[in-house]
Amino acid sequence: MFAPAHIVIGLPLVVGAITSGWAGVAWGALTAALCGGIPLGVLLLGVRSGRFGDRHVKDRAQRPKLIALIVVLVGTVLALTVMLGAPRLMVAGATAMLSTLAVTGPVTLWWKISFHTAVAAGGVVMLAWILPPVPVYTAGAVLVAALAWSRVVIRDHTLGQTVAGAMAGGAATWLTLAIFL
């Protein structure tokens, strides 16, 4: 439910709807399709064909190609949103995705940082930027903590990997938005 692709598909639609109505939903759909839908499709096909061992890409050696594809797709969205005049917040959202990847991508080459908590924490920060922050951060902290706990319980990550992911995603998104907006 809170897999990175699901958040990346849903969040731009919500942000677009809240901030720019139907036009924002259209910008969100572009972002969702390229940054979430296509990578999810590639991931599922990769699992089916044996290129990826599982949908969580537990084997870190399999992650770089998928991350590179996501970087290219997010970069494409960023270029399109800038060239086509998207609302500044939508451009900032794509930039925040790249910022988070810039932090977590290199780390995952030597340590299995949690992309789940990174994307979830970044999503919380994004929502807190456009909605009342206290309730968003309160509910978001509970959700990110539950997600981190679940990743530890199923033994996909250590507590440190989930905390580092949450800190990286939240900080990268906050810093991007603070600079951008």
Side-chain angles (χ1 to χ4, degrees), residues 25-104:
V25 171
W27 287 112
L30 172 70
T31 302
L34 271 80
C35 298
I38 291 174
L40 180 59
V42 167
L43 176 61
L44 295 175
L45 288 172
V47 169
R48 190 173 295 155
S49 71
R51 284 197 166 120
F52 300 117
D54 59 64
R55 61 188 166 92
H56 296 293
V57 195
K58 291 177 189 173
D59 181 356
R60 283 192 328 270
Q62 296 173 344
R63 287 182 170 194
K65 288 181 183 176
L66 183 60
I67 292 168
L69 171 67
I70 294 169
V71 167
V72 167
L73 290 167
V74 174
T76 300
V77 165
L78 181 57
L80 287 171
T81 56
V82 168
M83 289 186 306
L84 298 174
R88 192 160 175 82
L89 186 62
M90 298 306 288
V91 176
T95 305
M97 286 185 216
L98 276 180
S99 298
T100 301
L101 285 166
V103 174
T104 57

Side-chain angles (χ1 to χ4, degrees), residues 4-5 7-8 11 35 63 67-68 70-71 74-75 78 91-109 111 113-126 161-177 179:
I7 295 170
V8 172
L11 186 64
C35 298
R63 287 182 170 194
I67 292 168
I70 294 169
V71 167
V74 174
L78 181 57
V91 176
T95 305
M97 286 185 216
L98 276 180
S99 298
T100 301
L101 285 166
V103 174
T104 57
V107 171
T108 200
L109 297 176
W111 192 56
I113 192 166
S114 174
F115 284 97
H116 282 74
T117 58
V119 173
V124 169
V125 170
M126 178 63 83
Q161 291 165 339
T162 61
V163 170
M167 291 175 59
T173 301
W174 187 89
L175 185 60
T176 300
L177 295 175
I179 291 170

Side-chain angles (χ1 to χ4, degrees), residues 6-21:
H6 299 156
I7 295 170
V8 172
I9 290 168
L11 186 64
L13 297 168
V14 171
V15 169
I18 291 170
T19 61
S20 302

